Amino acid sequence: MSGKVLFVDSCVGREESRTLRLAEEYLKKHHGDSEVERIRLEEASIGPLTLEMRDYRDLVLGTGDLYDPMFRYARQFAEADEIVIAAPYWDLGFPAILKCYIEQIMVTGVTFEYTQDGMPSGLCKAHSLTYITTSGGYIEDRNFGFDYIRALCGMFGIGDVRCFTAEGLDIDGADVEKILEESAAAF
Ligand SMILES: Cc1cc2nc3c(=O)[nH]c(=O)nc-3n(C[C@H](O)[C@H](O)[C@H](O)COP(=O)(O)O)c2cc1C
């Protein structure tokens, strides 16, 4: 694999984040030789989109200027060849900072557009997105965070969307190392 890889690190707080560790192993295995652009959402301090920001965005979009700094995350996302998202499984989904990031990248004219009949059409260059998560219990059919990201990829025009998980990490007696190793073996 080659090209520009964008790594969206949505892991929160923990220095010893298992999700981050799994994602780093994935990047090493598949993109060891590639240029990896990293965005650590916690450090980027991206807040929720406010009414003020929406108004400003509509104003700028009205001028056709897609190079306003406000669109930097959207442009970075649209220009990546491959995207990797790491997000711990929180409350059946993912941490709120990832939703804040999504609000920044959902920009018409940059990551997607609407056709004349009102259907979304993707503008992203990436052909694949890999979502990596770890959970305390078992996710089963409730991978809502990933399901949501996959639905968004339909709007972005990203066809190859996959998820790797390491589950049951917080269950009493869990052999965390073994679970992580087995998950990494599936990459
Ligand atoms: C705020 C919060 C919400 C969580 N929600 C769930 C959950 O709904 N289901 C689950 O199985 N584990 C849940 N967990 C456990 C985490 O998914 C698990 O510890 C995960 O490995 C954390 O990833 P990290 O090591 O990268 O921080 C939650 C943990 C936190 C801190």
Side-chain angles (χ1 to χ4, degrees):
M1 295 191 199
S2 60
K4 200 183 336 175
V5 181
L6 174 64
F7 175 43
V8 181
D9 173 3
S10 323
C11 301
V12 178
R14 289 155 54 93
E15 263 178 41
E16 69 284 14
S17 162
R18 285 88 59 100
T19 316
L20 183 58
R21 180 174 147 191
L22 201 58
E24 293 288 5
E25 283 184 38
Y26 178 87
L27 288 169
K28 195 168 145 199
K29 182 164 178 186
H30 290 281
H31 302 293
D33 300 327
S34 317
E35 177 195 343
V36 179
E37 220 172 330
R38 292 166 178 263
I39 169 163
R40 179 151 172 71
L41 295 187
E42 220 177 13
E43 283 164 14
S45 319
I46 300 169
L49 200 65
T50 61
L51 179 61
E52 204 179 29
M53 287 156 76
R54 271 183 51 193
D55 286 348
Y56 178 70
R57 179 156 96 172
D58 289 346
L59 194 77
V60 179
L61 282 175
T63 70
D65 174 15
L66 300 177
Y67 287 85
D68 187 279
M70 179 179 226
F71 303 134
R72 64 191 179 284
Y73 296 120
R75 283 195 291 108
Q76 183 186 45
F77 192 91
E79 286 162 15
D81 295 296
E82 295 193 41
I83 296 160
V84 178
I85 297 179
Y89 187 72
W90 274 19
D91 309 324
L92 310 185
F94 49 61
I97 50 170
L98 181 53
K99 179 61 171 72
C100 292
Y101 174 75
I102 289 164
E103 289 176 359
Q104 294 293 322
I105 62 171
M106 294 301 291
V107 181
T108 45
V110 180
T111 47
F112 73 103
E113 62 187 354
Y114 287 107
T115 60
Q116 280 194 330
D117 49 358
M119 298 305 288
S121 172
L123 295 175
C124 291
K125 196 174 160 196
H127 55 83
S128 83
L129 184 145
T130 303
Y131 184 87
I132 295 175
T133 191
T134 71
S135 60
Y138 295 105
I139 297 175
E140 298 175 322
D141 60 348
R142 291 165 302 175
N143 204 353
F144 301 122
F146 172 63
D147 292 344
Y148 172 54
I149 295 291
R150 184 168 43 194
L152 290 177
C153 283
M155 295 181 72
F156 294 140
I158 303 174
D160 180 6
V161 189
R162 56 197 121 161
C163 177
F164 293 105
T165 69
E167 305 180 31
L169 296 180
D170 296 338
I171 292 173
D172 275 352
D175 187 340
V176 172
E177 288 300 316
K178 190 165 172 251
I179 296 170
L180 288 173
E181 271 171 34
E182 282 172 1
S183 297
F187 292 160

